[in-house]
Amino acid sequence: MTTMSARRLAGIIGTGPWASPANESVAEAVVRAISDGRVPVGIRLPSERELAAGIGVSRTTTARVYARLREHGFIRTRRGSGSVVEIPAVPGGRIDHLLSPVGPGEGLIDLTCTATTAPARVREAFAAALDALPAYLPGTGYYPSGIPALRELVADRFTARGAPTHPDEILITAGALGGAAVGLRALLTPPARVLIESPSYPNAIATIEAAGGRGVSYPLEIDSAGRHFWDTSAMGEVMRSNRVRSAYLIPDFHNPTGALLPEAQRPALAEELERSAVVPVFDESLVELGLDDHPAPTPMAALVPDSITVGSTSKIFWGGLRIGWMRIPRHRFDAVASARLALDLGAPVLEQLAAIELLRDHDAIIGDFRRRLREARDGLAAAVRAHCPDWQVVVPSGGMALWVRLPEERSGALTAAAARHGLALVSGPNFAPAGGLDGWIRLPYTVAQAELDQVAPRLAAAWQDALDRRAPQRQERARIVA
């Protein structure tokens, strides 16, 4: 079991000065860090003596801190095993780390999925694909690595972005998640440990588990404004102390936070991965959805040669177009291709042909899509701030959703209440690889405008509903967190 050092915990909760009584102030800071996912469930906290020295308080104070955490169900202490982080049960939130769209319902607005309806160009692309299909019918229809023309287009886009790529390094898959599953299966010898950010994409958490991996959480840092960011040196410490062998990372408009790894930090992350001998899978599903006109980020593949990158048409064109890709180092291609054949024999030909048509018209389609997303993002952020003024709304520079901090750890209760108000949400703990995050909610801005206009009023009504149903013991727990 991994122990969090006093230095690391102090870096997360601070070193004071602590408001009196100090034991309550420190306990509140630790609970907030656990709830935010910055202190993962299952990790062992430093001893009372070590923590006292690390944050500048007495041993008596830290003893009272740990007693308070035990009383409220945030740690379990056993003789000889130390104090291990737990988290109280979260009502109303599904925490199986696997998301699927809710589906149509009378008056229901589905915010469980970051996906949009298809633009008109998709229909035209499928019509063109049907015209091109007869040329492929005399063959078997199996293209395990993908249609050559599509592989060439994807490789050219990597090259244009600064990661020189040959078509032979591209493998076409059924979506980015399918590519991540293939990559992890090829890289892992169960029960190998895989670094994953917290929060992260729930289906990726489930994919790591399905591949036989053991997720090791790196909690993203949070600044005073609620913005998430990476501490690459801390990531390196987590990798080496846990003997991580692979990683699943989303450096580009991270899901769900929308954070973008700064250009200046990318070489530092590459250095930490190399130093730790970690082979990462980078998910670039959202890389093209920068909404604030900043320069396109350098692909991590250009900085980490021994890495796998996955991407997809699903976010930039349409979720129903299940075409993705993998960029794979040549020396790993055969192993990855073999792992892929254990799952399927290739992506559908018709969909690959449609993807070719769309990628040829990529710039025009994506430009309009970004404009619509930018308007939706700004509109939803303003509406949530107006209807829920005590929520902390961070406007991301890209991606497809807001990641909002609630004034209380009641994301699960909000999700349950929202269903009664015609709103399908995903509670924050679903995004937590190792527990926590009941104080956060993801709000996609991808639904039609008529539905988007109703989201904030329904959220406000659902939040009041959740507060009205609050049990006495939850009110007491809220006081320790507040």
Side-chain angles (χ1 to χ4, degrees):
M1 180 183 298
T2 303
T3 299
M4 177 174 283
S5 70
R7 181 174 65 85
R8 175 61 179 152
L9 183 55
I12 293 172
I13 67 172
T15 57
W18 303 100
S20 182
N23 66 294
E24 292 186 10
S25 298
V26 175
E28 288 169 5
V30 174
V31 169
R32 174 66 74 179
I34 294 171
S35 299
D36 284 343
R38 289 178 291 161
V39 175
V41 170
I43 202 164
R44 184 164 46 210
L45 296 181
S47 70
E48 295 170 1
R49 187 186 305 277
E50 291 169 332
L51 181 59
I55 63 174
V57 298
S58 68
R59 169 77 179 278
T60 300
T61 297
T62 53
R64 290 175 177 170
V65 168
Y66 281 26
R68 192 168 179 82
L69 293 174
R70 278 190 294 273
E71 177 186 354
H72 290 277
F74 286 96
I75 62 172
R76 179 187 72 255
T77 303
R78 291 181 179 173
R79 186 178 299 275
S81 299
S83 296
V84 178
V85 173
E86 293 184 331
I87 197 157
V90 177
R94 184 183 68 183
I95 314 175
D96 57 9
H97 298 310
L98 190 62
L99 296 187
S100 59
V102 170
E106 187 72 27
L108 180 70
I109 300 174
D110 183 4
L111 294 186
T112 65
C113 186
T114 51
T116 63
T117 56
R121 187 67 182 88
V122 170
R123 182 176 180 178
E124 298 168 6
F126 270 97
L130 280 172
D131 290 339
L133 183 62
Y136 293 83
L137 295 179
T140 64
Y142 291 116
Y143 291 89
S145 297
I147 292 176
L150 180 54
R151 298 173 73 192
E152 184 175 345
L153 279 170
V154 173
D156 287 348
R157 292 205 62 79
F158 272 108
T159 299
R161 291 173 50 223
T165 304
H166 190 275
D168 287 347
E169 296 172 289
I170 298 297
L171 184 69
I172 303 301
T173 63
L177 187 62
V182 170
L184 290 168
R185 283 174 181 265
L187 294 174
L188 299 182
T189 301
R193 296 177 177 180
V194 181
L195 185 75
I196 185 168
E197 296 133 333
S198 178
S200 191
Y201 177 40
N203 286 353
I205 301 171
T207 296
I208 290 171
E209 295 170 352
R214 293 174 55 189
V216 173
S217 174
Y218 163 68
L220 291 178
E221 314 294 330
I222 307 173
D223 66 18
S224 58
R227 298 183 182 90
H228 287 69
F229 64 95
W230 289 262
D231 181 334
T232 53
S233 62
M235 291 179 76
E237 290 180 14
V238 172
M239 284 187 274
R240 288 184 286 278
S241 64
N242 288 276
R243 298 179 181 178
V244 166
R245 287 295 165 259
S246 187
Y248 170 86
L249 303 173
I250 314 174
D252 304 298
F253 310 117
H254 174 266
N255 186 1
T257 69
L260 176 66
L261 181 67
E263 195 70 25
Q265 280 187 270
R266 292 180 177 241
L269 175 57
E271 184 177 325
E272 293 291 352
L273 289 164
E274 182 178 3
R275 179 183 173 192
S276 304
V278 169
V279 182
V281 174
F282 294 114
D283 189 336
E284 284 192 342
S285 297
L286 300 170
V287 69
E288 303 208 54
L289 297 184
L291 306 181
D292 290 338
D293 297 325
H294 45 63
T298 299
M300 288 303 302
L303 304 172
V304 187
D306 195 11
S307 65
I308 292 173
T309 300
V310 299
S312 172
T313 60
S314 299
K315 301 301 184 185
I316 58 174
F317 298 137
W318 181 47
L321 185 61
R322 305 305 306 150
I323 295 297
W325 50 80
M326 305 173 69
R327 182 189 186 276
I328 308 163
R330 288 181 183 272
H331 71 281
R332 294 191 182 276
F333 197 93
D334 288 346
V336 174
S338 295
R340 189 267 175 80
L341 291 174
L343 297 174
D344 65 58
L345 298 178
V349 171
L350 183 64
E351 294 192 15
Q352 291 189 66
L353 294 174
I356 289 171
E357 294 294 325
L358 291 166
L359 284 172
R360 286 172 175 164
D361 200 20
H362 169 278
D363 291 348
I365 298 172
I366 201 69
D368 181 63
F369 187 36
R370 286 176 182 147
R371 177 189 58 76
R372 289 188 286 116
L373 275 182
R374 185 184 306 116
E375 293 174 357
R377 176 199 64 180
D378 295 345
L380 181 60
V384 172
R385 284 170 172 161
H387 285 83
C388 306
D390 54 348
W391 293 16
Q392 189 175 42
V393 180
V394 173
V395 178
S397 60
M400 306 176 85
L402 305 177
W403 181 240
V404 177
R405 180 182 248 169
L406 305 173
E408 293 185 21
E409 278 64 42
R410 297 193 58 74
S411 176
L414 172 62
T415 299
R420 297 189 287 271
H421 294 267
L423 200 59
L425 301 174
V426 180
S427 66
N430 283 277
F431 298 88
L437 301 181
D438 196 33
W440 299 81
I441 195 77
R442 187 183 73 170
L443 302 177
Y445 38 81
T446 52
V447 296
Q449 187 62 49
E451 293 184 318
L452 200 64
D453 291 341
Q454 301 177 51
V455 168
R458 295 192 189 192
L459 280 172
W463 181 244
Q464 188 59 54
D465 188 353
L467 294 180
D468 290 345
R469 294 168 183 257
R470 181 168 45 184
Q473 61 267 31
R474 290 291 295 172
Q475 294 182 34
E476 169 61 25
R477 186 168 290 144
R479 281 196 286 273
I480 191 176
V481 176

PDB file of all heavy atoms in Angstrom, residues 388-409:
ATOM      1  N   CYS A 388     -27.347  29.723 -10.379  1.00  0.00           N
ATOM      2  CA  CYS A 388     -26.698  29.041  -9.241  1.00  0.00           C
ATOM      3  C   CYS A 388     -25.471  29.863  -8.834  1.00  0.00           C
ATOM      4  O   CYS A 388     -24.327  29.439  -9.060  1.00  0.00           O
ATOM      5  CB  CYS A 388     -26.293  27.619  -9.621  1.00  0.00           C
ATOM      6  SG  CYS A 388     -27.624  26.599 -10.291  1.00  0.00           S
ATOM      7  N   PRO A 389     -25.670  31.029  -8.263  1.00  0.00           N
ATOM      8  CA  PRO A 389     -24.559  31.959  -8.031  1.00  0.00           C
ATOM      9  C   PRO A 389     -23.490  31.465  -7.058  1.00  0.00           C
ATOM     10  O   PRO A 389     -22.377  31.990  -7.060  1.00  0.00           O
ATOM     11  CB  PRO A 389     -25.259  33.213  -7.493  1.00  0.00           C
ATOM     12  CG  PRO A 389     -26.582  32.738  -6.978  1.00  0.00           C
ATOM     13  CD  PRO A 389     -26.970  31.587  -7.844  1.00  0.00           C
ATOM     14  N   ASP A 390     -23.820  30.478  -6.218  1.00  0.00           N
ATOM     15  CA  ASP A 390     -22.808  29.983  -5.286  1.00  0.00           C
ATOM     16  C   ASP A 390     -22.022  28.800  -5.835  1.00  0.00           C
ATOM     17  O   ASP A 390     -21.197  28.227  -5.135  1.00  0.00           O
ATOM     18  CB  ASP A 390     -23.447  29.618  -3.934  1.00  0.00           C
ATOM     19  CG  ASP A 390     -24.619  28.651  -4.076  1.00  0.00           C
ATOM     20  OD1 ASP A 390     -25.089  28.445  -5.218  1.00  0.00           O
ATOM     21  OD2 ASP A 390     -25.062  28.104  -3.049  1.00  0.00           O
ATOM     22  N   TRP A 391     -22.268  28.441  -7.098  1.00  0.00           N
ATOM     23  CA  TRP A 391     -21.460  27.404  -7.747  1.00  0.00           C
ATOM     24  C   TRP A 391     -20.210  28.052  -8.356  1.00  0.00           C
ATOM     25  O   TRP A 391     -20.242  29.198  -8.801  1.00  0.00           O
ATOM     26  CB  TRP A 391     -22.243  26.705  -8.842  1.00  0.00           C
ATOM     27  CG  TRP A 391     -23.400  25.868  -8.364  1.00  0.00           C
ATOM     28  CD1 TRP A 391     -24.003  25.912  -7.140  1.00  0.00           C
ATOM     29  CD2 TRP A 391     -24.105  24.893  -9.119  1.00  0.00           C
ATOM     30  NE1 TRP A 391     -25.020  25.008  -7.079  1.00  0.00           N
ATOM     31  CE2 TRP A 391     -25.122  24.360  -8.285  1.00  0.00           C
ATOM     32  CE3 TRP A 391     -23.994  24.396 -10.408  1.00  0.00           C
ATOM     33  CZ2 TRP A 391     -26.005  23.372  -8.706  1.00  0.00           C
ATOM     34  CZ3 TRP A 391     -24.863  23.411 -10.841  1.00  0.00           C
ATOM     35  CH2 TRP A 391     -25.863  22.900  -9.999  1.00  0.00           C
ATOM     36  N   GLN A 392     -19.116  27.303  -8.380  1.00  0.00           N
ATOM     37  CA  GLN A 392     -17.869  27.812  -8.953  1.00  0.00           C
ATOM     38  C   GLN A 392     -17.740  27.288 -10.386  1.00  0.00           C
ATOM     39  O   GLN A 392     -17.475  26.113 -10.621  1.00  0.00           O
ATOM     40  CB  GLN A 392     -16.664  27.371  -8.117  1.00  0.00           C
ATOM     41  CG  GLN A 392     -15.361  28.045  -8.529  1.00  0.00           C
ATOM     42  CD  GLN A 392     -14.217  27.684  -7.597  1.00  0.00           C
ATOM     43  OE1 GLN A 392     -14.061  26.542  -7.195  1.00  0.00           O
ATOM     44  NE2 GLN A 392     -13.416  28.674  -7.227  1.00  0.00           N
ATOM     45  N   VAL A 393     -17.947  28.178 -11.343  1.00  0.00           N
ATOM     46  CA  VAL A 393     -17.956  27.811 -12.758  1.00  0.00           C
ATOM     47  C   VAL A 393     -16.650  28.254 -13.404  1.00  0.00           C
ATOM     48  O   VAL A 393     -16.342  29.448 -13.431  1.00  0.00           O
ATOM     49  CB  VAL A 393     -19.148  28.451 -13.495  1.00  0.00           C
ATOM     50  CG1 VAL A 393     -19.135  28.054 -14.970  1.00  0.00           C
ATOM     51  CG2 VAL A 393     -20.463  28.040 -12.844  1.00  0.00           C
ATOM     52  N   VAL A 394     -15.889  27.304 -13.910  1.00  0.00           N
ATOM     53  CA  VAL A 394     -14.658  27.601 -14.642  1.00  0.00           C
ATOM     54  C   VAL A 394     -14.952  27.433 -16.125  1.00  0.00           C
ATOM     55  O   VAL A 394     -15.479  26.397 -16.546  1.00  0.00           O
ATOM     56  CB  VAL A 394     -13.515  26.664 -14.216  1.00  0.00           C
ATOM     57  CG1 VAL A 394     -12.294  26.861 -15.108  1.00  0.00           C
ATOM     58  CG2 VAL A 394     -13.147  26.915 -12.760  1.00  0.00           C
ATOM     59  N   VAL A 395     -14.625  28.443 -16.919  1.00  0.00           N
ATOM     60  CA  VAL A 395     -14.837  28.369 -18.367  1.00  0.00           C
ATOM     61  C   VAL A 395     -13.574  27.798 -19.002  1.00  0.00           C
ATOM     62  O   VAL A 395     -12.520  28.442 -18.983  1.00  0.00           O
ATOM     63  CB  VAL A 395     -15.159  29.751 -18.957  1.00  0.00           C
ATOM     64  CG1 VAL A 395     -15.337  29.654 -20.462  1.00  0.00           C
ATOM     65  CG2 VAL A 395     -16.416  30.328 -18.306  1.00  0.00           C
ATOM     66  N   PRO A 396     -13.635  26.586 -19.563  1.00  0.00           N
ATOM     67  CA  PRO A 396     -12.435  25.974 -20.143  1.00  0.00           C
ATOM     68  C   PRO A 396     -12.088  26.617 -21.478  1.00  0.00           C
ATOM     69  O   PRO A 396     -12.948  27.199 -22.146  1.00  0.00           O
ATOM     70  CB  PRO A 396     -12.862  24.513 -20.328  1.00  0.00           C
ATOM     71  CG  PRO A 396     -14.339  24.595 -20.572  1.00  0.00           C
ATOM     72  CD  PRO A 396     -14.825  25.734 -19.708  1.00  0.00           C
ATOM     73  N   SER A 397     -10.838  26.486 -21.885  1.00  0.00           N
ATOM     74  CA  SER A 397     -10.419  27.050 -23.169  1.00  0.00           C
ATOM     75  C   SER A 397     -10.747  26.127 -24.333  1.00  0.00           C
ATOM     76  O   SER A 397     -10.514  26.486 -25.495  1.00  0.00           O
ATOM     77  CB  SER A 397      -8.913  27.338 -23.159  1.00  0.00           C
ATOM     78  OG  SER A 397      -8.177  26.145 -22.939  1.00  0.00           O
ATOM     79  N   GLY A 398     -11.284  24.957 -24.038  1.00  0.00           N
ATOM     80  CA  GLY A 398     -11.649  24.022 -25.101  1.00  0.00           C
ATOM     81  C   GLY A 398     -12.426  22.853 -24.539  1.00  0.00           C
ATOM     82  O   GLY A 398     -12.732  22.793 -23.344  1.00  0.00           O
ATOM     83  N   GLY A 399     -12.768  21.923 -25.404  1.00  0.00           N
ATOM     84  CA  GLY A 399     -13.524  20.750 -24.976  1.00  0.00           C
ATOM     85  C   GLY A 399     -15.010  20.941 -25.166  1.00  0.00           C
ATOM     86  O   GLY A 399     -15.473  21.837 -25.880  1.00  0.00           O
ATOM     87  N   MET A 400     -15.803  20.103 -24.456  1.00  0.00           N
ATOM     88  CA  MET A 400     -17.241  20.044 -24.702  1.00  0.00           C
ATOM     89  C   MET A 400     -18.076  20.140 -23.431  1.00  0.00           C
ATOM     90  O   MET A 400     -19.278  19.886 -23.469  1.00  0.00           O
ATOM     91  CB  MET A 400     -17.589  18.746 -25.440  1.00  0.00           C
ATOM     92  CG  MET A 400     -16.794  18.539 -26.713  1.00  0.00           C
ATOM     93  SD  MET A 400     -17.121  16.966 -27.541  1.00  0.00           S
ATOM     94  CE  MET A 400     -18.573  17.412 -28.496  1.00  0.00           C
ATOM     95  N   ALA A 401     -17.466  20.484 -22.297  1.00  0.00           N
ATOM     96  CA  ALA A 401     -18.228  20.494 -21.045  1.00  0.00           C
ATOM     97  C   ALA A 401     -17.609  21.447 -20.028  1.00  0.00           C
ATOM     98  O   ALA A 401     -16.404  21.735 -20.069  1.00  0.00           O
ATOM     99  CB  ALA A 401     -18.303  19.083 -20.459  1.00  0.00           C
ATOM    100  N   LEU A 402     -18.453  21.920 -19.113  1.00  0.00           N
ATOM    101  CA  LEU A 402     -18.000  22.637 -17.925  1.00  0.00           C
ATOM    102  C   LEU A 402     -17.802  21.623 -16.800  1.00  0.00           C
ATOM    103  O   LEU A 402     -18.563  20.665 -16.683  1.00  0.00           O
ATOM    104  CB  LEU A 402     -19.045  23.663 -17.482  1.00  0.00           C
ATOM    105  CG  LEU A 402     -19.530  24.698 -18.496  1.00  0.00           C
ATOM    106  CD1 LEU A 402     -20.625  25.560 -17.871  1.00  0.00           C
ATOM    107  CD2 LEU A 402     -18.386  25.552 -18.998  1.00  0.00           C
ATOM    108  N   TRP A 403     -16.792  21.849 -15.974  1.00  0.00           N
ATOM    109  CA  TRP A 403     -16.556  21.032 -14.789  1.00  0.00           C
ATOM    110  C   TRP A 403     -16.739  21.976 -13.604  1.00  0.00           C
ATOM    111  O   TRP A 403     -15.922  22.846 -13.350  1.00  0.00           O
ATOM    112  CB  TRP A 403     -15.161  20.432 -14.831  1.00  0.00           C
ATOM    113  CG  TRP A 403     -14.773  19.541 -13.694  1.00  0.00           C
ATOM    114  CD1 TRP A 403     -13.725  19.725 -12.828  1.00  0.00           C
ATOM    115  CD2 TRP A 403     -15.363  18.289 -13.314  1.00  0.00           C
ATOM    116  NE1 TRP A 403     -13.627  18.685 -11.948  1.00  0.00           N
ATOM    117  CE2 TRP A 403     -14.624  17.775 -12.213  1.00  0.00           C
ATOM    118  CE3 TRP A 403     -16.448  17.556 -13.775  1.00  0.00           C
ATOM    119  CZ2 TRP A 403     -14.941  16.572 -11.586  1.00  0.00           C
ATOM    120  CZ3 TRP A 403     -16.760  16.360 -13.162  1.00  0.00           C
ATOM    121  CH2 TRP A 403     -16.020  15.869 -12.078  1.00  0.00           C
ATOM    122  N   VAL A 404     -17.860  21.831 -12.907  1.00  0.00           N
ATOM    123  CA  VAL A 404     -18.334  22.831 -11.957  1.00  0.00           C
ATOM    124  C   VAL A 404     -18.201  22.326 -10.529  1.00  0.00           C
ATOM    125  O   VAL A 404     -18.568  21.189 -10.223  1.00  0.00           O
ATOM    126  CB  VAL A 404     -19.807  23.181 -12.258  1.00  0.00           C
ATOM    127  CG1 VAL A 404     -20.349  24.161 -11.232  1.00  0.00           C
ATOM    128  CG2 VAL A 404     -19.936  23.755 -13.665  1.00  0.00           C
ATOM    129  N   ARG A 405     -17.692  23.201  -9.661  1.00  0.00           N
ATOM    130  CA  ARG A 405     -17.579  22.854  -8.241  1.00  0.00           C
ATOM    131  C   ARG A 405     -18.834  23.315  -7.507  1.00  0.00           C
ATOM    132  O   ARG A 405     -19.241  24.474  -7.605  1.00  0.00           O
ATOM    133  CB  ARG A 405     -16.345  23.507  -7.632  1.00  0.00           C
ATOM    134  CG  ARG A 405     -16.152  23.202  -6.148  1.00  0.00           C
ATOM    135  CD  ARG A 405     -14.936  23.912  -5.589  1.00  0.00           C
ATOM    136  NE  ARG A 405     -13.895  22.975  -5.231  1.00  0.00           N
ATOM    137  CZ  ARG A 405     -12.657  23.319  -4.921  1.00  0.00           C
ATOM    138  NH1 ARG A 405     -12.289  24.580  -4.968  1.00  0.00           N
ATOM    139  NH2 ARG A 405     -11.761  22.419  -4.592  1.00  0.00           N
ATOM    140  N   LEU A 406     -19.431  22.389  -6.765  1.00  0.00           N
ATOM    141  CA  LEU A 406     -20.629  22.685  -5.997  1.00  0.00           C
ATOM    142  C   LEU A 406     -20.257  23.231  -4.623  1.00  0.00           C
ATOM    143  O   LEU A 406     -19.168  22.940  -4.113  1.00  0.00           O
ATOM    144  CB  LEU A 406     -21.474  21.411  -5.838  1.00  0.00           C
ATOM    145  CG  LEU A 406     -21.865  20.692  -7.136  1.00  0.00           C
ATOM    146  CD1 LEU A 406     -22.545  19.360  -6.819  1.00  0.00           C
ATOM    147  CD2 LEU A 406     -22.763  21.569  -7.988  1.00  0.00           C
ATOM    148  N   PRO A 407     -21.133  23.979  -3.982  1.00  0.00           N
ATOM    149  CA  PRO A 407     -20.814  24.508  -2.648  1.00  0.00           C
ATOM    150  C   PRO A 407     -20.819  23.445  -1.560  1.00  0.00           C
ATOM    151  O   PRO A 407     -20.311  23.688  -0.464  1.00  0.00           O
ATOM    152  CB  PRO A 407     -21.916  25.549  -2.410  1.00  0.00           C
ATOM    153  CG  PRO A 407     -23.020  25.178  -3.325  1.00  0.00           C
ATOM    154  CD  PRO A 407     -22.395  24.527  -4.513  1.00  0.00           C
ATOM    155  N   GLU A 408     -21.403  22.284  -1.833  1.00  0.00           N
ATOM    156  CA  GLU A 408     -21.381  21.159  -0.895  1.00  0.00           C
ATOM    157  C   GLU A 408     -21.110  19.878  -1.676  1.00  0.00           C
ATOM    158  O   GLU A 408     -21.351  19.792  -2.876  1.00  0.00           O
ATOM    159  CB  GLU A 408     -22.719  21.018  -0.152  1.00  0.00           C
ATOM    160  CG  GLU A 408     -23.054  22.141   0.787  1.00  0.00           C
ATOM    161  CD  GLU A 408     -24.336  21.879   1.569  1.00  0.00           C
ATOM    162  OE1 GLU A 408     -24.731  20.701   1.680  1.00  0.00           O
ATOM    163  OE2 GLU A 408     -24.946  22.851   2.046  1.00  0.00           O
ATOM    164  N   GLU A 409     -20.635  18.851  -0.956  1.00  0.00           N
ATOM    165  CA  GLU A 409     -20.362  17.561  -1.578  1.00  0.00           C
ATOM    166  C   GLU A 409     -21.676  16.796  -1.765  1.00  0.00           C
ATOM    167  O   GLU A 409     -21.981  15.837  -1.035  1.00  0.00           O
ATOM    168  CB  GLU A 409     -19.367  16.746  -0.725  1.00  0.00           C
ATOM    169  CG  GLU A 409     -17.913  17.106  -0.946  1.00  0.00           C
ATOM    170  CD  GLU A 409     -17.588  18.527  -0.530  1.00  0.00           C
ATOM    171  OE1 GLU A 409     -18.077  18.954   0.539  1.00  0.00           O
ATOM    172  OE2 GLU A 409     -16.873  19.228  -1.262  1.00  0.00           O
TER     173      GLU A 409
END
